[in-house]
Coordinates of all heavy atoms in Angstrom, one line a residue:
E87 N 1.0 7.8 -10.3 CA 0.5 9.0 -11.1 C -0.4 9.8 -10.2 O -1.3 9.3 -9.6 CB -0.3 8.5 -12.3 CG -0.7 9.5 -13.3 CD -1.4 8.9 -14.5 OE1 -2.6 8.5 -14.3 OE2 -0.8 8.9 -15.6
F88 N -0.1 11.1 -10.1 CA -0.7 12.0 -9.2 C -1.6 13.0 -9.9 O -1.2 13.6 -10.9 CB 0.3 12.7 -8.3 CG 1.0 11.8 -7.3 CD1 2.2 11.2 -7.6 CD2 0.4 11.5 -6.1 CE1 2.8 10.4 -6.7 CE2 1.0 10.7 -5.2 CZ 2.2 10.1 -5.5
K89 N -2.8 13.2 -9.4 CA -3.7 14.2 -10.0 C -3.2 15.6 -9.6 O -2.6 15.8 -8.5 CB -5.1 14.0 -9.5 CG -5.8 12.7 -10.1 CD -7.3 12.7 -9.6 CE -8.0 11.6 -10.3 NZ -7.6 10.2 -9.9
L90 N -3.4 16.5 -10.4 CA -3.0 17.9 -10.2 C -4.2 18.8 -10.4 O -5.2 18.5 -11.0 CB -1.9 18.3 -11.2 CG -0.7 17.5 -11.4 CD1 0.2 18.0 -12.5 CD2 0.1 17.4 -10.1
N91 N -4.1 20.1 -9.9 CA -5.0 21.1 -10.3 C -4.2 22.4 -10.4 O -3.0 22.4 -10.2 CB -6.2 21.2 -9.3 CG -5.8 21.6 -7.9 OD1 -4.7 22.1 -7.6 ND2 -6.7 21.3 -6.9
E92 N -4.9 23.5 -10.6 CA -4.2 24.8 -10.9 C -3.5 25.3 -9.7 O -2.6 26.2 -9.8 CB -5.2 25.8 -11.4 CG -6.2 26.4 -10.4 CD -7.4 25.5 -10.2 OE1 -7.4 24.4 -10.8 OE2 -8.3 25.9 -9.4
A93 N -3.8 24.8 -8.5 CA -3.1 25.3 -7.3 C -1.9 24.5 -6.9 O -1.2 24.9 -6.0 CB -4.1 25.3 -6.1
T94 N -1.6 23.4 -7.6 CA -0.5 22.5 -7.2 C 0.7 22.7 -8.2 O 0.5 22.9 -9.4 CB -0.9 21.1 -7.2 OG1 -1.3 20.7 -8.6 CG2 -2.0 20.8 -6.3
L95 N 1.9 22.6 -7.6 CA 3.1 22.6 -8.4 C 3.1 21.3 -9.2 O 2.7 20.3 -8.7 CB 4.3 22.6 -7.5 CG 5.7 22.8 -8.1 CD1 5.9 24.2 -8.7 CD2 6.8 22.5 -7.1
D96 N 3.6 21.4 -10.4 CA 3.7 20.2 -11.3 C 5.0 19.5 -10.8 O 6.1 20.0 -11.0 CB 3.9 20.7 -12.8 CG 3.8 19.6 -13.8 OD1 3.9 18.4 -13.3 OD2 3.7 19.9 -15.0
P97 N 4.9 18.3 -10.3 CA 6.1 17.6 -9.7 C 7.1 17.3 -10.8 O 6.8 17.0 -11.9 CB 5.5 16.3 -9.1 CG 4.1 16.5 -9.1 CD 3.7 17.5 -10.1
R98 N 8.4 17.5 -10.4 CA 9.5 17.1 -11.4 C 10.4 16.1 -10.8 O 10.5 15.9 -9.6 CB 10.2 18.4 -11.7 CG 9.4 19.2 -12.7 CD 9.7 20.7 -12.7 NE 8.8 21.4 -13.6 CZ 7.7 22.1 -13.2 NH1 7.4 22.2 -12.0 NH2 6.9 22.7 -14.1
S99 N 11.2 15.5 -11.7 CA 12.0 14.4 -11.3 C 13.1 14.8 -10.3 O 13.5 14.0 -9.5 CB 12.7 13.7 -12.5 OG 13.4 14.7 -13.2
D100 N 13.5 16.1 -10.3 CA 14.5 16.6 -9.3 C 14.0 16.3 -7.9 O 14.8 16.0 -7.0 CB 14.7 18.1 -9.5 CG 15.5 18.4 -10.7 OD1 16.1 17.5 -11.3 OD2 15.6 19.6 -11.1
S101 N 12.7 16.4 -7.7 CA 12.1 16.2 -6.3 C 12.2 14.8 -5.8 O 12.1 14.5 -4.6 CB 10.7 16.8 -6.3 OG 10.7 18.2 -6.5
E102 N 12.3 13.8 -6.8 CA 12.5 12.4 -6.4 C 13.8 12.2 -5.6 O 13.9 11.2 -4.9 CB 12.4 11.5 -7.6 CG 11.0 11.6 -8.3 CD 10.9 10.7 -9.5 OE1 12.0 10.2 -10.0 OE2 9.8 10.4 -9.9
T103 N 14.7 13.2 -5.7 CA 16.0 13.1 -5.0 C 15.7 13.1 -3.5 O 16.4 12.4 -2.7 CB 16.9 14.3 -5.4 OG1 17.0 14.4 -6.8 CG2 18.3 14.1 -4.7
L104 N 14.7 13.8 -3.1 CA 14.3 13.8 -1.6 C 13.9 12.5 -1.2 O 14.3 12.0 -0.1 CB 13.2 14.9 -1.4 CG 13.0 15.2 0.1 CD1 12.5 16.7 0.2 CD2 11.9 14.3 0.7
I105 N 13.1 11.8 -2.0 CA 12.6 10.4 -1.6 C 13.8 9.5 -1.6 O 13.9 8.6 -0.6 CB 11.5 9.9 -2.6 CG1 10.3 10.9 -2.5 CG2 11.1 8.5 -2.2 CD1 9.3 10.6 -3.6
E106 N 14.7 9.6 -2.5 CA 15.9 8.7 -2.5 C 16.7 8.9 -1.3 O 17.2 7.9 -0.7 CB 16.7 9.0 -3.8 CG 16.1 8.6 -5.1 CD 16.8 9.2 -6.3 OE1 17.8 9.9 -6.1 OE2 16.4 8.9 -7.4
T107 N 16.9 10.2 -0.9 CA 17.6 10.5 0.3 C 17.0 9.9 1.6 O 17.7 9.3 2.4 CB 17.8 12.0 0.5 OG1 18.2 12.6 -0.7 CG2 18.7 12.4 1.6
F108 N 15.7 10.0 1.6 CA 14.9 9.5 2.7 C 15.1 8.0 2.8 O 15.4 7.4 3.9 CB 13.4 9.8 2.5 CG 12.5 9.6 3.7 CD1 12.0 10.7 4.3 CD2 12.2 8.3 4.2 CE1 11.1 10.5 5.4 CE2 11.4 8.2 5.3 CZ 10.9 9.3 5.9
L109 N 15.0 7.3 1.7 CA 15.1 5.8 1.7 C 16.5 5.4 2.1 O 16.7 4.3 2.7 CB 14.8 5.3 0.2 CG 13.3 5.3 -0.2 CD1 13.2 5.2 -1.7 CD2 12.5 4.3 0.6
E110 N 17.5 6.1 1.7 CA 18.9 5.8 2.1 C 19.1 5.8 3.6 O 19.8 5.0 4.2 CB 19.9 6.8 1.4 CG 20.0 6.5 -0.1 CD 20.8 7.7 -0.7 OE1 21.2 8.6 0.0 OE2 21.0 7.6 -2.0
Q111 N 18.4 6.8 4.2 CA 18.6 7.0 5.7 C 17.7 6.2 6.6 O 17.9 6.1 7.8 CB 18.6 8.5 6.0 CG 19.7 9.3 5.3 CD 19.7 10.7 5.7 OE1 19.7 11.0 6.9 NE2 20.0 11.6 4.7
Y112 N 16.6 5.8 6.0 CA 15.6 5.0 6.8 C 15.3 3.7 6.0 O 14.4 3.6 5.2 CB 14.3 5.8 7.0 CG 14.4 6.9 7.9 CD1 14.8 8.2 7.5 CD2 14.3 6.8 9.4 CE1 15.0 9.2 8.3 CE2 14.5 7.8 10.2 CZ 14.8 9.1 9.7 OH 15.0 10.1 10.5
T113 N 16.2 2.7 6.2 CA 16.1 1.5 5.4 C 15.1 0.5 5.9 O 14.7 -0.4 5.2 CB 17.5 0.8 5.5 OG1 17.9 0.6 6.8 CG2 18.6 1.6 4.8
Q114 N 14.6 0.6 7.2 CA 13.6 -0.3 7.8 C 12.3 0.3 7.5 O 11.7 1.2 8.1 CB 13.9 -0.4 9.3 CG 13.0 -1.5 9.9 CD 13.2 -1.6 11.4 OE1 14.2 -1.1 12.0 NE2 12.3 -2.2 12.1
K115 N 11.6 -0.3 6.5 CA 10.3 0.3 6.0 C 9.2 -0.1 6.9 O 8.1 0.5 6.8 CB 10.1 -0.2 4.6 CG 11.0 0.4 3.6 CD 10.6 0.1 2.2 CE 11.5 0.8 1.2 NZ 11.1 0.5 -0.2
S116 N 9.3 -1.0 7.9 CA 8.3 -1.2 8.8 C 8.2 -0.3 10.0 O 7.3 -0.3 10.8 CB 8.4 -2.7 9.4 OG 9.7 -2.7 10.1
K117 N 9.2 0.7 10.0 CA 9.3 1.6 11.1 C 8.1 2.5 11.2 O 7.5 2.9 10.2 CB 10.6 2.5 10.9 CG 11.1 3.1 12.1 CD 12.5 3.7 11.8 CE 13.1 4.5 13.0 NZ 13.3 3.6 14.2
L118 N 7.7 2.8 12.4 CA 6.6 3.7 12.6 C 7.1 5.1 12.7 O 7.8 5.5 13.7 CB 5.8 3.3 13.9 CG 4.4 3.9 14.0 CD1 3.6 3.1 15.0 CD2 4.4 5.4 14.5
L119 N 6.9 5.9 11.7 CA 7.4 7.3 11.7 C 6.2 8.3 11.6 O 5.3 8.1 10.8 CB 8.3 7.5 10.4 CG 9.5 6.6 10.4 CD1 10.2 6.7 9.0 CD2 10.6 7.0 11.5
K120 N 6.4 9.4 12.3 CA 5.4 10.5 12.2 C 6.1 11.6 11.4 O 7.1 12.1 11.8 CB 5.1 11.0 13.7 CG 4.1 12.1 13.7 CD 3.8 12.5 15.2 CE 3.1 13.8 15.3 NZ 1.7 13.7 14.8
I121 N 5.5 11.9 10.2 CA 6.1 12.7 9.2 C 5.3 13.9 8.9 O 4.1 13.8 8.9 CB 6.4 11.9 7.9 CG1 7.2 10.6 8.2 CG2 7.0 12.7 6.8 CD1 7.2 9.6 7.1
L122 N 5.9 15.0 8.7 CA 5.3 16.3 8.3 C 5.7 16.6 6.9 O 6.9 16.7 6.6 CB 5.6 17.4 9.2 CG 5.2 18.8 8.8 CD1 3.6 18.9 8.8 CD2 5.7 19.9 9.7
D123 N 4.7 16.7 6.0 CA 5.0 17.2 4.6 C 4.6 18.7 4.6 O 3.4 19.0 4.5 CB 4.2 16.4 3.6 CG 4.6 16.8 2.1 OD1 5.2 17.8 1.9 OD2 4.2 16.0 1.2
L124 N 5.6 19.6 4.6 CA 5.4 21.0 4.7 C 5.3 21.7 3.4 O 6.3 21.8 2.7 CB 6.5 21.6 5.6 CG 6.4 23.0 6.2 CD1 5.1 23.2 6.9 CD2 7.6 23.3 7.1
G125 N 4.1 22.3 3.0 CA 3.9 22.8 1.7 C 3.7 21.7 0.7 O 4.5 21.5 -0.2
S126 N 2.7 20.9 1.0 CA 2.6 19.6 0.4 C 2.1 19.5 -1.1 O 2.3 18.5 -1.8 CB 1.6 18.7 1.2 OG 0.4 19.4 1.4
G127 N 1.4 20.6 -1.5 CA 1.0 20.6 -2.9 C 0.1 19.4 -3.3 O -0.9 19.1 -2.6
S128 N 0.4 18.7 -4.3 CA -0.4 17.5 -4.7 C -0.3 16.4 -3.7 O -1.0 15.4 -3.8 CB 0.1 17.0 -6.1 OG 1.4 16.6 -6.1
G129 N 0.7 16.5 -2.8 CA 0.9 15.4 -1.9 C 1.9 14.3 -2.4 O 2.1 13.3 -1.7
C130 N 2.5 14.6 -3.5 CA 3.3 13.6 -4.2 C 4.5 13.1 -3.3 O 4.9 11.9 -3.3 CB 3.8 14.0 -5.5 SG 4.9 15.5 -5.5
L131 N 5.1 14.0 -2.6 CA 6.3 13.6 -1.7 C 5.8 12.7 -0.5 O 6.3 11.6 -0.3 CB 7.0 14.8 -1.2 CG 7.9 15.6 -2.2 CD1 8.5 16.9 -1.6 CD2 9.1 14.7 -2.7
G132 N 4.9 13.3 0.3 CA 4.4 12.6 1.4 C 3.7 11.3 1.1 O 4.0 10.3 1.8
L133 N 2.9 11.2 0.1 CA 2.2 10.0 -0.3 C 3.2 9.0 -0.8 O 3.0 7.8 -0.6 CB 1.1 10.3 -1.3 CG 0.0 11.1 -0.7 CD1 -1.0 11.6 -1.8 CD2 -0.8 10.4 0.4
S134 N 4.2 9.4 -1.6 CA 5.2 8.4 -2.1 C 5.9 7.8 -0.9 O 6.2 6.6 -0.9 CB 6.2 9.1 -3.0 OG 5.5 9.6 -4.2
I135 N 6.3 8.6 0.1 CA 7.0 8.0 1.3 C 6.0 7.2 2.1 O 6.4 6.1 2.6 CB 7.5 9.2 2.1 CG1 8.7 9.8 1.4 CG2 7.9 8.7 3.5 CD1 9.3 11.0 2.0
L136 N 4.8 7.6 2.2 CA 3.8 6.8 3.0 C 3.6 5.5 2.3 O 3.4 4.5 3.0 CB 2.5 7.6 3.0 CG 1.4 7.3 4.1 CD1 2.1 7.5 5.5 CD2 0.3 8.3 4.0
D137 N 3.6 5.4 1.0 CA 3.4 4.2 0.3 C 4.6 3.2 0.6 O 4.4 2.0 0.6 CB 3.3 4.4 -1.2 CG 2.9 3.2 -2.0 OD1 1.9 2.5 -1.6 OD2 3.5 3.0 -3.0
E138 N 5.8 3.8 0.8 CA 7.0 3.0 1.1 C 7.0 2.5 2.5 O 7.4 1.4 2.8 CB 8.3 3.8 0.8 CG 8.4 4.2 -0.7 CD 9.0 3.2 -1.6 OE1 9.4 2.1 -1.1 OE2 9.1 3.4 -2.8
Y139 N 6.6 3.3 3.4 CA 6.7 3.0 4.9 C 5.3 2.8 5.4 O 4.6 3.6 5.8 CB 7.4 4.2 5.6 CG 8.8 4.4 5.2 CD1 9.1 5.1 4.0 CD2 9.8 3.8 5.9 CE1 10.4 5.3 3.6 CE2 11.1 4.0 5.5 CZ 11.4 4.7 4.3 OH 12.7 4.8 3.9
Y140 N 4.9 1.5 5.4 CA 3.5 1.1 5.6 C 3.0 1.2 7.0 O 1.8 1.0 7.2 CB 3.3 -0.3 5.1 CG 4.3 -1.4 5.5 CD1 4.2 -2.0 6.8 CD2 5.5 -1.6 4.8 CE1 5.1 -3.0 7.2 CE2 6.4 -2.6 5.2 CZ 6.2 -3.2 6.4 OH 7.2 -4.1 6.9
N141 N 3.8 1.5 8.0 CA 3.4 1.8 9.4 C 3.4 3.2 9.7 O 3.1 3.6 10.9 CB 4.2 0.9 10.3 CG 3.8 -0.5 10.3 OD1 2.7 -0.9 10.1 ND2 4.9 -1.4 10.5
S142 N 3.8 4.1 8.8 CA 4.0 5.5 9.1 C 2.7 6.3 8.8 O 1.8 5.9 8.2 CB 5.2 6.0 8.4 OG 6.4 5.4 8.8
N143 N 2.8 7.6 9.3 CA 1.7 8.5 9.1 C 2.3 9.9 8.7 O 3.4 10.2 9.1 CB 0.9 8.8 10.5 CG 0.2 7.5 10.9 OD1 -0.8 7.2 10.5 ND2 0.9 6.8 11.9
V144 N 1.5 10.6 7.8 CA 2.0 11.9 7.3 C 0.9 12.9 7.6 O -0.3 12.7 7.3 CB 2.3 11.8 5.8 CG1 2.7 13.2 5.3 CG2 3.5 10.9 5.5
T145 N 1.3 14.1 8.1 CA 0.5 15.3 8.1 C 0.9 16.2 7.0 O 2.1 16.5 6.8 CB 0.7 16.0 9.5 OG1 0.2 15.1 10.5 CG2 -0.2 17.3 9.5
F146 N -0.1 16.5 6.2 CA 0.1 17.4 5.0 C -0.3 18.8 5.3 O -1.5 19.0 5.8 CB -0.6 16.9 3.8 CG -0.3 15.5 3.4 CD1 -0.8 14.4 4.0 CD2 0.7 15.3 2.3 CE1 -0.4 13.1 3.6 CE2 1.1 14.1 1.9 CZ 0.5 13.0 2.5
I147 N 0.6 19.8 5.1 CA 0.3 21.2 5.4 C 0.4 22.0 4.1 O 1.4 21.9 3.4 CB 1.2 21.8 6.5 CG1 0.7 21.2 7.9 CG2 1.2 23.3 6.5 CD1 1.6 21.8 9.0
D148 N -0.6 22.9 3.8 CA -0.4 23.7 2.7 C -1.2 25.0 2.9 O -2.2 25.0 3.7 CB -0.9 23.1 1.4 CG -0.2 23.7 0.1 OD1 -0.7 24.7 -0.3 OD2 0.8 23.1 -0.3
I149 N -0.7 26.1 2.3 CA -1.4 27.4 2.4 C -2.7 27.4 1.5 O -3.6 28.2 1.7 CB -0.5 28.5 1.9 CG1 -1.1 29.9 2.2 CG2 -0.1 28.4 0.4 CD1 -0.1 31.1 1.9
S150 N -2.7 26.5 0.6 CA -3.8 26.4 -0.4 C -4.8 25.3 -0.1 O -4.5 24.1 0.0 CB -3.3 26.2 -1.8 OG -4.3 25.8 -2.7
K151 N -6.1 25.7 0.1 CA -7.1 24.7 0.3 C -7.3 23.8 -0.9 O -7.6 22.6 -0.8 CB -8.4 25.4 0.7 CG -8.4 26.0 2.1 CD -9.8 26.6 2.4 CE -9.8 27.2 3.8 NZ -11.1 27.9 4.2
K152 N -7.2 24.4 -2.1 CA -7.3 23.6 -3.3 C -6.2 22.6 -3.4 O -6.5 21.5 -4.0 CB -7.3 24.6 -4.5 CG -8.6 25.3 -4.7 CD -8.6 26.0 -6.1 CE -9.9 26.6 -6.4 NZ -9.9 27.3 -7.8
S153 N -5.0 22.9 -3.0 CA -3.9 21.9 -3.0 C -4.3 20.7 -2.0 O -4.1 19.6 -2.4 CB -2.6 22.5 -2.6 OG -2.1 23.3 -3.6
L154 N -4.7 21.1 -0.9 CA -5.1 20.1 0.1 C -6.2 19.1 -0.4 O -6.2 17.9 -0.2 CB -5.5 20.7 1.4 CG -4.3 21.3 2.2 CD1 -4.9 22.1 3.4 CD2 -3.3 20.3 2.7
E155 N -7.1 19.7 -1.2 CA -8.2 18.9 -1.8 C -7.7 17.9 -2.7 O -8.1 16.7 -2.7 CB -9.2 19.9 -2.5 CG -10.1 20.7 -1.5 CD -10.9 21.8 -2.3 OE1 -10.9 21.8 -3.6 OE2 -11.5 22.6 -1.6
I156 N -6.8 18.3 -3.6 CA -6.2 17.3 -4.5 C -5.3 16.3 -3.8 O -5.3 15.2 -4.2 CB -5.5 18.1 -5.7 CG1 -5.6 17.2 -7.0 CG2 -4.0 18.4 -5.4 CD1 -6.9 17.2 -7.7
A157 N -4.6 16.7 -2.8 CA -3.8 15.8 -2.0 C -4.7 14.7 -1.4 O -4.3 13.5 -1.3 CB -3.0 16.5 -1.0
K158 N -5.8 15.2 -0.9 CA -6.8 14.2 -0.3 C -7.3 13.2 -1.3 O -7.4 12.0 -1.0 CB -8.0 14.9 0.3 CG -7.7 15.7 1.6 CD -9.0 16.4 2.1 CE -8.7 17.3 3.2 NZ -9.8 18.1 3.7
I159 N -7.6 13.7 -2.5 CA -8.0 12.8 -3.6 C -7.0 11.8 -3.9 O -7.2 10.6 -4.1 CB -8.4 13.6 -4.8 CG1 -9.7 14.4 -4.5 CG2 -8.6 12.7 -6.1 CD1 -10.0 15.5 -5.6
N160 N -5.7 12.3 -4.0 CA -4.6 11.3 -4.3 C -4.4 10.3 -3.2 O -4.1 9.1 -3.5 CB -3.3 12.1 -4.5 CG -3.3 12.8 -5.9 OD1 -3.7 12.3 -6.9 ND2 -2.7 14.0 -5.9
A161 N -4.6 10.8 -2.0 CA -4.5 9.8 -0.8 C -5.6 8.7 -0.9 O -5.3 7.5 -0.7 CB -4.6 10.6 0.5
V162 N -6.8 9.1 -1.2 CA -7.9 8.2 -1.3 C -7.6 7.2 -2.5 O -7.8 6.0 -2.3 CB -9.2 8.9 -1.5 CG1 -10.3 8.0 -1.9 CG2 -9.6 9.7 -0.2

Side-chain angles (χ1 to χ4, degrees):
E87 188 174 71
F88 291 92
K89 290 185 172 70
L90 309 175
N91 63 20
E92 71 278 5
T94 59
L95 186 72
D96 191 347
R98 284 156 183 103
S99 57
D100 287 347
S101 296
E102 293 181 345
T103 309
L104 191 150
I105 300 172
E106 292 168 0
T107 310
F108 195 112
L109 287 165
E110 288 170 1
Q111 297 188 42
Y112 291 89
T113 55
Q114 188 181 344
K115 292 191 176 181
S116 61
K117 201 170 178 64
L118 196 160
L119 298 169
K120 181 178 169 65
I121 302 164
L122 173 65
D123 185 348
L124 191 53
S126 53
S128 65
C130 63
L131 284 173
L133 292 172
S134 294
I135 288 171
L136 203 54
D137 190 48
E138 298 277 355
Y139 295 84
Y140 48 86
N141 286 325
S142 294
N143 297 278
V144 176
T145 296
F146 298 84
I147 285 183
D148 205 278
I149 188 176
S150 165
K151 289 182 179 179
K152 282 190 173 182
S153 286
L154 290 172
E155 286 168 9
I156 208 75
K158 287 178 187 177
I159 290 169
N160 285 323
V162 170

